[in-house]
Amino acid sequence: MARTVLPSGLRIVTEEERSVRSAAFGIWVNVGSRDESISTAGASHFLEHLLFKGTKKRTSLEISSAIEAVGGETNAFTSKEYTCFYARVIDKDLPLAVDVISDLLPPRLLNKNMLMQNVKLYWKRSQCAMMILVI
């Protein structure tokens, strides 16, 4: 497993598993239930679900259909420390997974062009089976 921190603070964790052709891409946002007050309890989990309801680019159905059409899956979860959005696909469909999952987050949280450039760079370097971004 390798960990890289970019000058922007974006942390990239990659792990290579040569015996599989699958790839997972996830974005961990450093916000979870520990960050909620009594009056905002459940907000992180609510937002996790809300982000799958559609984006400027995709409807809710298009979000799930894009990944499911290639045999992959999307999902999310909220813990005390973070909220995660991820997709699992076959390795050749990693760019699609990156596009769909990064589309879920508001632009002010994520520079999609910078994200895609870094994913391509690290993917070419190692053909890694898993890529995790923490913002």
Side-chain angles (χ1 to χ4, degrees):
M1 188 176 306
R3 181 175 190 251
T4 305
V5 179
L6 301 180
S8 66
L10 181 69
R11 292 173 279 173
I12 300 174
V13 179
T14 56
E15 182 176 10
E16 183 177 4
E17 182 61 52
R18 292 183 184 267
S19 63
V20 297
R21 293 231 16 237
S22 63
F25 173 78
I27 298 177
W28 274 249
V29 182
N30 286 325
V31 174
S33 61
R34 72 170 180 205
D35 302 299
E36 300 168 352
S37 66
I38 292 173
S39 64
T40 61
S44 298
H45 188 74
F46 174 74
L47 288 173
E48 167 202 321
H49 285 268
L50 191 62
L51 292 176
F52 277 95
K53 297 297 181 191
T55 68
K56 288 183 180 182
K57 188 174 170 182
R58 294 178 173 91
T59 66
S60 179
L61 181 60
E62 290 169 334
I63 291 168
S64 60
S65 296
I67 298 295
E68 290 174 7
V70 297
E73 72 165 324
T74 59
N75 210 338
F77 61 88
T78 302
S79 74
K80 289 181 180 179
E81 298 178 356
Y82 50 82
T83 303
C84 173
F85 304 87
Y86 69 91
R88 295 181 199 166
V89 293
I90 194 161
D91 57 358
K92 70 179 182 68
D93 294 318
L94 180 63
L96 173 66
V98 172
D99 184 49
V100 170
I101 296 301
S102 62
D103 191 37
L104 296 175
L105 297 177
R108 65 186 170 280
L109 291 181
L110 188 64
N111 180 323
K112 194 170 181 178
N113 290 331
M114 182 272 300
L115 176 64
M116 288 299 288
Q117 288 170 354
N118 283 285
V119 166
K120 288 176 185 174
L121 172 71
Y122 283 92
W123 185 254
K124 285 178 185 175
R125 261 192 216 161
S126 67
Q127 287 295 309
C128 56
M130 178 173 31
M131 180 166 287
I132 302 166
L133 300 180
V134 181
I135 59 172

